[in-house]
Amino acid sequence: MQTTPLRIGTRGSALALAQAHETRARLMAAHALPEDAFEIVVIKTTGDQIQDRPLSEVGGKGLFTKEIEEALLDKSIDIAVHSSKDMPTVLPDGLALTAFLPREDVRDAFISRKAKNLMELPQGAVVGSSSLRRQAMIKRLRPDIDVVMYRGNLQTRLRKLEEGQVDATLLAVAGLKRLGLDDVITSCIEVEAFLPAVGQGAICIESRADDEATLMLLSGIHDPETRVRLEAERAFLAVLDGSCRTPIGGLAEISEGKIRFRGTILKPDGSEVHDVEREGPVSDPSGLGREAGEALKAMAGPGFLSS
């Protein structure tokens, strides 16, 4: 019987808090627990504090997780709620991704007051994005467009768009939906044109691997299909590049007992792209992801990822 509140660690952005609240609500429903059985603990991460340059220049994905993982290890929180696409492929010893919530829409949203979609933007339009993947994919489809670095939380990016600092931006559909902001979406970009980031749309929960009581609680909200898909995607990413210095997209989908995986890597300027597709049994998602990653590495050649 739980006597002290389960402490849920999260970043302080509106989206991160919405994800922590969703996790709490699911745990309350699964175990018939009151809200005061949980405490949400906001932790400021290095990634939240750096707003003036791309994270790829200062350390990559781990900047959004380091302080939260330290709190897990020193037992000042019990679980951490993350956006799966923010998670490095290698976790600190003693920690594990122990639950995934059902995955939301994986697509990217195009948001603009000047065009219905990316292809209809006028020549020379300015698009803001902090994602190397989105920047490269935009440049590949529309080399005439000026893509500018665009940091800040989701609300800040929408405000900059309204102020006219850019003509359009791209954001994850899932994040907008979780904040009740899907009405700002001009159009959704289908995955055939724009493969999402690895893990996009999936909330993951990290905890101490040996904390049996917490693992039991989390099992009540865990979605096995999302785990299988994320295992394939994260294995693919681990082969290529665990950080965010290379434009990479990857998506695993399950149909009729099989995983279909698609992956892509691009040059940052969009001038060169390599794609891979693999299908395999749901029993070995990591093996399928690794195979796809190795195939892409072989296609691209030794200098591609380091350039």
Side-chain angles (χ1 to χ4, degrees):
M1 182 74 180
Q2 189 179 325
T3 54
T4 57
L6 183 89
R7 296 159 302 174
I8 302 172
T10 177
R11 293 165 59 197
S13 72
L15 178 56
L17 288 169
Q19 294 180 162
H21 290 157
E22 179 180 340
T23 302
R24 179 179 65 186
R26 287 177 180 272
L27 285 166
M28 287 166 59
H31 301 288
L33 289 167
E35 190 171 299
D36 62 10
F38 305 92
E39 178 189 354
I40 290 178
V41 180
V42 174
I43 298 169
K44 192 148 193 172
T45 70
T46 307
D48 295 313
Q49 296 170 55
I50 298 171
Q51 296 292 328
D52 59 343
R53 55 201 187 279
L55 294 179
S56 54
E57 292 179 3
V58 286
K61 293 186 179 191
L63 296 174
F64 283 131
T65 58
K66 179 175 176 285
E67 287 84 358
I68 296 175
E69 289 176 330
E70 287 170 352
L72 270 175
L73 289 168
D74 70 21
K75 300 189 177 180
S76 54
I77 58 172
D78 302 299
I79 66 171
V81 178
H82 303 284
S83 295
S84 294
K85 68 177 184 177
D86 289 340
M87 295 303 292
T89 52
V90 178
L91 303 182
D93 289 344
L95 300 183
L97 299 184
T98 47
F100 292 90
L101 302 190
R103 197 171 195 175
E104 245 294 359
D105 195 320
V106 301
R107 293 175 296 175
D108 287 304
F110 173 81
I111 306 169
S112 177
R113 303 291 168 264
K114 299 191 175 179
K116 293 178 184 174
N117 56 53
L118 186 66
M119 301 313 290
E120 291 186 17
L121 278 172
Q123 190 164 355
V126 178
V127 178
S129 176
S130 62
S131 156
L132 292 186
R133 173 188 62 88
R134 290 177 183 138
Q135 289 174 6
M137 288 179 171
I138 293 166
K139 289 172 184 173
R140 176 154 186 81
L141 290 173
R142 289 290 308 271
D144 60 296
I145 282 178
D146 185 17
V147 185
V148 298
M149 203 273 283
Y150 200 58
R151 289 294 316 283
N153 63 32
L154 193 145
Q155 285 85 351
T156 300
R157 297 181 203 195
L158 291 174
R159 177 179 53 75
K160 288 179 178 178
L161 178 68
E162 286 300 323
E163 290 172 354
Q165 294 186 32
V166 295
D167 298 310
T169 189
L170 273 60
L171 297 168
V173 171
L176 292 164
K177 282 188 172 184
R178 289 190 178 114
L179 287 171
L181 293 172
D182 31 333
D183 59 326
V184 307
I185 297 172
T186 307
S187 60
C188 294
I189 306 175
E190 297 306 320
V191 295
E192 286 71 25
F194 245 69
L195 272 181
V198 163
Q200 186 156 307
I203 295 171
C204 64
I205 300 169
E206 187 178 22
S207 66
R208 293 181 291 279
D210 62 356
D211 185 350
E212 295 295 337
T214 297
L215 295 179
M216 282 292 292
L217 267 180
L218 293 176
S219 67
I221 63 169
H222 172 61
D223 184 61
E225 179 175 313
T226 301
R227 174 184 281 284
V228 169
R229 294 172 66 185
L230 267 289
E231 281 185 6
E233 292 175 25
R234 286 174 58 77
F236 165 76
L237 185 62
V239 168
L240 294 170
D241 180 0
S243 75
C244 56
R245 289 187 297 274
T246 307
I248 297 172
L251 178 64
E253 296 172 293
I254 297 176
S255 178
E256 298 177 351
K258 289 192 170 181
I259 308 173
R260 179 194 180 202
F261 180 83
R262 286 170 285 173
T264 187
I265 52 175
L266 304 93
K267 285 278 177 73
D269 64 359
S271 62
E272 188 180 339
V273 62
H274 298 278
D275 299 308
V276 68
E277 185 169 333
R278 289 289 186 275
E279 195 173 273
V282 293
S283 56
D284 186 20
S286 295
L288 184 73
R290 282 194 300 271
E291 181 189 325
E294 294 293 356
L296 265 193
K297 272 180 91 169
M299 279 183 223
F304 192 92
L305 291 169
S306 59
S307 59

